[in-house]
Amino acid sequence: MKYLSTRGGEQHLSFEKVLFSGYAKDGGLYMPESIPSLSNEELAKWSSYSYSKLVFAIARKFIDEEEIPTPELNDIINSSLKRFRIPEVVRVEKMNGGLNIVELFHGTTMAFKDLALSVVGGLLDYYLNKNKRHITILIGTSGDTGSAAIEGVKGRKGIDIIVLLPNGRCTKIQELQMTTVLADNVHVYKVEGTSDDLDEPIKQCFSDSGFVSAHNLISINSINWGRIMVQLAHYFFTYYQLCSKVGSPMQIIVPTGAAGNITAGCIAQKMGLPITLIAAVNTNDIVFRTILSGDFSVKEDVAQTLASAMDIQNPYNVERLLYIGANGNVKRINELMHAFEQEGQVSIPDDILSNIKQIVVESLSVSDEDIVAIMKRVYHEQKYILCPHTATAVFYHYQRKSDIPRGFIATASPAKFPDAVQRAGIEPVTDGVDHLQDLPTRFMWMREGGNWYAMLRGKIEEITQNR
Ligand SMILES: *Cc1c(COP(=O)(O)O)cnc(C)c1O
């Protein structure tokens, strides 16, 4: 399998090349040159696979044997997923009335990002060992990405990771999940500013291409193809858990922010999995408006909501959805994305939109009040506690009845979001997070008024010197 940019400027790239890259040089995102379609026999055979085996089977379709031989690929995946808190990795809770909650949060940091970042950490490590190379990963986080990335790479020899977190704007648990990791290759900064503020010094570092290549600087945010690829697995897994007959249709409802998760679902559908998807968002509703009427436009500043990991105004992965909807016509993607980048808005042509809506059939935007109401209702009716992100998806359960099975993706454990749980009048969940309070912490400050860019550059240079 080779890869290309959604804007056509780069073609025929190896998996290794795209794994170690963020955006393509032309500003596009990487996609496989073709999406493999599964035969009915394969689709049936995969139904008996464990979660890890599914990840392997999918990865094998997208990474050539010459790039990573089967025994090594198997090892990478199995050892990365061994650290999950339950052996089956993903668990589906089937409740009354067809409310099936697909729990993707049993990784170390209790959010679904662990699923992809653990394996991506293993894949990076494989190539770095093989090529005797070292990289420094640099990311800003609003909460879940930072901790999952740290868990994915902590202690790996060829990698250092620098994480910037906005002081006081993550939940206490999210913060502790980052600051209590004491591995030598992990460097955490608390920044006195917002997520947007801390993006500035990071952008400045990445815009100096000489500096980036001198220090092997990379980002592994949600545009990374490796993350999308691994996320295909939970769509297959969910399908097989909930559909009694392979080939019958089902629907999966996905809490959506930067749209990396739902993009993976679209690719799974393209491979032949008979699913349709619903995109649930909070009041940051750009994806909702795009799906509803083709209005792909930035309306206002990011609103802070209870589902904070979905507080996003630029859902990067929509470009991949457009690429799928345009049947890979890179010229049209160029036109659309340039218009979007220049004007902050573009109207999606009907044919592209209707192709996307064959897969993402509907979207909903859910307010904080409704998030709290749903958390309460599910707690009282089912004795089950949802995280606020998951609540946006479950809202749909009460809006629309369905004749076909449905799975509601649970992207995080409620234990990570005590404020939302408290607002719903539910006793706090401390399962799996209690011990964090007592652990020693380590982090550095980026104080208001400091020269953050200079600090960051200095840190990166120091890391390179020491490796
Ligand atoms: C990252 C995240 C999301 C959004 O996922 P995308 O792939 O960005 O759409 C939703 N819920 C939680 C808890 C997350 O951490």
Side-chain angles (χ1 to χ4, degrees):
M1 179 65 75
K2 296 290 182 206
Y3 293 85
L4 48 62
S5 160
T6 47
R7 303 191 192 178
E10 287 177 83
Q11 277 161 18
H12 223 58
L13 302 173
S14 66
F15 176 77
E16 177 178 4
K17 171 77 185 136
V18 301
L19 179 71
F20 281 86
S21 310
Y23 286 99
K25 291 194 187 75
D26 59 7
L29 306 185
Y30 293 116
M31 281 289 279
E33 285 190 343
S34 62
I35 296 177
S37 68
L38 300 182
S39 65
N40 289 337
E41 294 76 55
E42 237 169 344
L43 209 54
K45 186 166 154 220
W46 286 17
S47 68
S48 64
Y49 287 7
S50 66
Y51 177 81
S52 318
K53 202 160 169 199
L54 276 174
V55 175
F56 172 81
I58 289 160
R60 191 69 294 168
K61 297 262 174 206
F62 291 97
I63 309 170
D64 293 343
E65 182 84 35
E66 298 83 73
E67 283 210 64
I68 308 180
T70 286
E72 280 84 351
L73 186 59
N74 232 327
D75 267 5
I76 293 167
I77 292 166
N78 289 335
S79 60
S80 303
L81 294 172
K82 241 193 339 246
R83 298 220 304 272
F84 272 63
R85 292 173 300 127
I86 57 173
E88 65 268 41
V89 183
V90 170
R91 178 183 289 158
V92 181
E93 283 287 339
K94 299 176 189 171
M95 287 181 273
N96 296 337
L99 181 57
N100 303 307
I101 305 285
V102 184
E103 296 180 345
L104 301 184
F105 54 74
H106 294 291
T108 319
T109 77
M110 306 167 118
F112 92 103
K113 291 182 175 72
D114 286 326
L115 287 172
L117 281 165
S118 58
V119 177
V120 164
L123 290 166
L124 291 169
D125 195 48
Y126 169 79
Y127 286 113
L128 292 169
N129 278 331
K130 191 171 119 186
N131 304 333
K132 306 270 175 291
R133 272 184 69 206
H134 175 271
I135 56 168
T136 297
I137 295 171
L138 176 54
I139 44 172
T141 184
S142 61
D144 292 332
T145 307
S147 52
I150 288 172
E151 283 302 322
V153 306
K154 74 175 180 196
R156 296 195 193 269
K157 215 169 78 250
I159 306 177
D160 277 75
I161 183 167
I162 305 176
V163 175
L164 273 56
L165 69 90
N167 183 43
R169 285 165 201 267
C170 307
T171 73
K172 188 74 199 156
I173 305 296
Q174 287 176 320
E175 202 177 293
L176 287 171
Q177 284 179 332
M178 295 182 259
T179 57
T180 56
V181 179
L182 305 182
D184 280 348
N185 67 334
V186 175
H187 317 273
V188 176
Y189 285 94
K190 275 197 206 180
V191 182
E192 287 187 333
T194 65
S195 295
D196 288 341
D197 296 338
L198 60 82
D199 275 345
E200 275 313 308
I202 295 178
K203 258 195 230 148
Q204 276 177 290
C205 283
F206 279 112
S207 67
D208 181 345
S209 59
F211 186 73
V212 169
S213 60
H215 297 281
N216 294 322
L217 215 53
I218 78 157
S219 159
I220 44 172
N221 61 16
S222 83
I223 60 169
N224 187 287
W225 165 254
R227 290 180 60 180
I228 307 280
M229 178 190 75
V230 178
Q231 288 169 6
L232 293 176
H234 57 251
Y235 289 91
F236 283 91
F237 190 79
T238 301
Y239 181 81
Y240 294 130
Q241 294 281 309
L242 291 170
C243 263
S244 44
K245 191 167 147 286
V246 176
S248 60
M250 89 166 279
Q251 208 162 63
I252 301 181
I253 298 91
V254 189
T256 297
N261 195 1
I262 201 160
T263 295
C266 288
I267 296 173
Q269 194 273 357
K270 282 281 170 195
M271 290 174 75
L273 195 67
I275 54 173
T276 48
L277 304 169
I278 313 284
V281 303
N282 57 30
T283 50
N284 295 290
D285 65 351
I286 176 167
V287 169
F288 167 74
R289 287 182 284 107
T290 304
I291 298 296
L292 195 72
S293 63
D295 171 21
F296 185 38
S297 66
V298 181
K299 276 280 187 293
E300 56 229 354
D301 289 344
V302 176
Q304 278 200 30
T305 76
L306 287 173
S308 54
M310 291 151 53
D311 290 347
I312 276 167
Q313 274 292 5
N314 187 357
Y316 315 104
N317 282 289
V318 166
E319 181 162 348
R320 286 192 168 106
L321 299 183
L322 296 174
Y323 177 87
I324 291 169
N327 298 315
N329 184 330
V330 293
K331 187 162 162 283
R332 295 184 79 190
I333 301 305
N334 259 304
E335 285 163 11
L336 287 172
M337 290 311 298
H338 283 147
F340 179 73
E341 282 163 2
Q342 263 150 37
E343 321 282 337
Q345 63 165 89
V346 66
S347 182
I348 307 302
D350 287 346
D351 63 317
I352 296 181
L353 188 60
S354 96
N355 286 342
I356 294 172
K357 286 176 88 160
Q358 304 270 317
I359 316 174
V360 184
V361 293
E362 217 179 320
S363 179
L364 62 154
S365 163
V366 183
S367 68
D368 272 2
E369 286 95 70
D370 284 332
I371 287 174
V372 170
I374 290 294
M375 289 172 70
K376 271 189 184 151
R377 180 163 180 180
V378 171
Y379 181 64
H380 290 294
E381 288 180 6
Q382 315 267 7
K383 287 283 161 282
Y384 185 88
I385 307 177
L386 301 169
C387 97
H389 310 81
T390 309
T392 66
V394 172
F395 186 76
Y396 190 75
H397 174 71
Y398 296 102
Q399 292 285 298
R400 295 261 200 295
K401 296 269 163 282
S402 173
D403 311 328
I404 60 171
R406 293 196 293 204
F408 298 83
I409 298 281
T411 47
S413 158
K416 283 188 98 163
F417 302 93
D419 292 352
V421 170
Q422 193 189 17
R423 267 187 63 179
I426 303 168
E427 283 290 303
V429 193
T430 52
D431 200 23
V433 295
D434 240 3
H435 67 287
L436 287 171
Q437 316 281 353
D438 306 321
L439 295 178
T441 60
R442 188 179 70 201
F443 59 88
M444 294 160 284
W445 278 105
M446 286 190 179
R447 297 280 189 189
E448 215 176 314
N451 186 343
W452 300 346
Y453 176 50
M455 289 171 77
L456 201 51
R457 264 184 97 100
K459 186 75 201 172
I460 294 163
E461 283 162 355
E462 178 196 315
I463 288 170
T464 313
Q465 266 163 23
N466 291 339
R467 297 294 152 183

